[in-house]
């Protein structure tokens, strides 16, 4: 992944606009022009204040355009931000798809490439580890079960 690092508000902006299914270039064009009509009906969270998030990105100098095109990692990510990331990027919801126990998530089912992507996005603070389960390996083509744990407790 690239060395682009984003704060939680800007990272979740990127995740939300990616849920639209539009191409990165179309998303970037809409955001640059601050014309969200094409995106809003398709967003997972259409009530997110996109103007405010773009303003935050400008104020702190975060390159959301490159993040949309090439990816990024979070500078810092609290537990609720992690849950929102799992929902936006992987359509995984707590209690429906996985279990939260204090500062850990268990029974998160992802494909190998999704596990790698998640690790690249959150590895500064979080460990993504394979859960012990017979016949499960990271080489599997079917979903694998992982836990996500805070590194420094």
């Amino acid at each position: 992944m690239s060395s682009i690092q984003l704060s939680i508000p800007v990272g979740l902006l990127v995740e939300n606009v990616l849920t639209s299914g539009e191409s990165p270039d179309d998303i970037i064009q809409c955001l640059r022009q601050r014309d969200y009509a094409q995106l809003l009906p398709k967003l997972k969270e259409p009530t997110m204040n996109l103007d405010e998030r773009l303003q935050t990105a400008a104020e702190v100098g975060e390159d959301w355009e490159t993040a949309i095109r090439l990816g990024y990692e979070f500078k810092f990510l609290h537990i609720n931000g992690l849950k929102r990331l799992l929902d936006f990027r992987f359509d995984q919801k707590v209690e429906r798809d996985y279990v939260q126990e204090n500062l850990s998530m268990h029974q998160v089912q992802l494909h190998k490439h999704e596990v790698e992507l998640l690790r690249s996005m959150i590895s500064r603070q979080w460990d993504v580890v394979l859960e012990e389960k017979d016949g499960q390996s990271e080489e599997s083509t079917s979903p694998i079960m992982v836990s996500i744990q805070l590194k420094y407790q």
Side-chain angles (χ1 to χ4, degrees):
M1 180 133 314
S2 100
S3 61
I4 300 290
Q5 295 180 355
L6 298 180
S7 61
I8 294 170
V10 180
L12 293 179
L13 162 71
V14 168
E15 292 305 319
N16 195 23
V17 296
L18 288 174
T19 67
S20 71
E22 296 291 329
S23 73
D25 289 335
D26 287 347
I27 292 170
I28 290 167
Q29 184 75 2
C30 290
L31 294 179
R32 276 186 190 156
Q33 294 175 352
R34 306 242 174 166
D35 178 5
Y36 313 126
Q38 177 181 338
L39 295 177
L40 285 177
K42 300 175 186 176
L43 295 183
K44 188 162 214 163
E45 190 176 303
T47 58
M48 179 182 281
N49 187 329
L50 304 181
D51 283 326
E52 186 177 285
R53 303 277 175 138
L54 290 168
Q55 182 62 36
T56 299
E59 288 171 2
V60 295
E62 292 181 348
D63 187 356
W64 56 268
E65 290 185 36
T66 301
I68 288 172
R69 284 194 175 99
L70 302 176
Y72 66 96
E73 67 178 319
F74 281 95
K75 294 177 186 177
F76 169 82
L77 188 62
H78 53 62
I79 191 83
N80 289 327
L82 176 58
K83 290 191 286 192
R84 287 183 75 195
L85 171 64
L86 290 171
D87 184 20
F88 282 142
R89 181 61 71 121
F90 306 107
D91 194 32
Q92 297 277 318
K93 290 189 181 295
V94 69
E95 302 306 329
R96 183 189 78 189
D97 300 302
Y98 62 89
V99 177
Q100 179 181 349
E101 183 180 301
N102 299 317
L103 296 177
S104 297
M105 311 294 187
H106 302 285
Q107 303 169 3
V108 180
Q109 290 193 43
L110 300 171
H111 289 279
K112 181 180 188 244
H113 70 279
E114 294 173 325
V115 171
E116 292 168 0
L117 174 63
L118 181 61
R119 282 181 176 144
S120 71
M121 296 174 80
I122 67 171
S123 66
R124 295 169 62 88
Q125 269 181 274
W126 299 92
D127 282 323
V128 180
V129 296
L130 187 66
E131 288 189 4
E132 297 297 321
K133 188 175 175 190
D134 292 340
Q136 175 172 278
S137 80
E138 288 196 42
E139 303 311 311
S140 175
T141 55
S142 57
I144 54 178
M145 200 168 296
V146 297
S147 289
I148 306 168
Q149 304 161 348
L150 189 62
K151 284 184 177 183
Y152 312 104
Q153 295 189 42

